[in-house]
Amino acid sequence: TDQEDDGRVTVQADEKTGKLRISYQLLNASTHFFDIVSKAHSVVLLGGTMKPIEDFVQHLLPAVAPEKISTLSVDHVIADDRILPVTLSEGPSGQIFDF
């Protein structure tokens, strides 16, 4: 289990069916991530939009000495004419997305 401040439980009711949806969102991964970092020889974090990287380092790697952290940042590697941004308003079942 997590400390109270580490996550949030949300309950949403579907107005049409009356069904409840309960979800949990972990807001502070540093406690769990520390277990991985403390046991691993190396940890590689890869991702898209990870800037500012200092936020990730501060929250996920606070116990790691700065001289042991290496970063690499590169420009966008996919040509602009190969990108098609698309937005979806509903899922395959027809359910409307409500973010």
Side-chain angles (χ1 to χ4, degrees), residues 57 61 63-71:
V57 171
L61 307 168
V64 178
E67 61 272 7
K68 293 192 168 227
I69 297 174
S70 298
T71 61

Side-chain angles (χ1 to χ4, degrees), residues 25-37:
Q25 187 174 29
L26 182 63
L27 301 175
N28 180 8
S30 62
T31 304
H32 301 287
F33 203 74
F34 177 77
D35 292 338
I36 296 168
V37 172

Side-chain angles (χ1 to χ4, degrees), residues 88 90-95 97:
L88 301 174
E90 60 185 47
S93 68
Q95 174 152 355
F97 293 140

Side-chain angles (χ1 to χ4, degrees), residues 74-93:
V74 296
D75 290 333
H76 204 268
V77 295
I78 300 173
D80 289 346
D81 64 343
R82 299 290 182 208
I83 297 174
L84 175 63
V86 177
T87 60
L88 301 174
S89 60
E90 60 185 47
S93 68

Side-chain angles (χ1 to χ4, degrees), residues 39-75:
K39 295 174 185 170
H41 175 73
S42 297
V43 175
V44 178
L45 294 177
L46 300 169
T49 308
M50 293 183 68
K51 289 185 179 179
I53 190 69
E54 295 79 19
D55 288 345
F56 287 95
V57 171
Q58 177 185 355
H59 294 291
L60 297 179
L61 307 168
V64 178
E67 61 272 7
K68 293 192 168 227
I69 297 174
S70 298
T71 61
L72 170 68
S73 180
V74 296
D75 290 333

Side-chain angles (χ1 to χ4, degrees), residues 1-12 21-30 32 99:
T1 60
D2 299 306
Q3 292 183 8
E4 188 176 312
D5 293 340
D6 287 348
R8 294 288 180 269
V9 174
T10 57
V11 180
Q12 295 174 316
R21 182 175 70 180
I22 300 173
S23 51
Y24 176 79
Q25 187 174 29
L26 182 63
L27 301 175
N28 180 8
S30 62
H32 301 287
F99 297 106

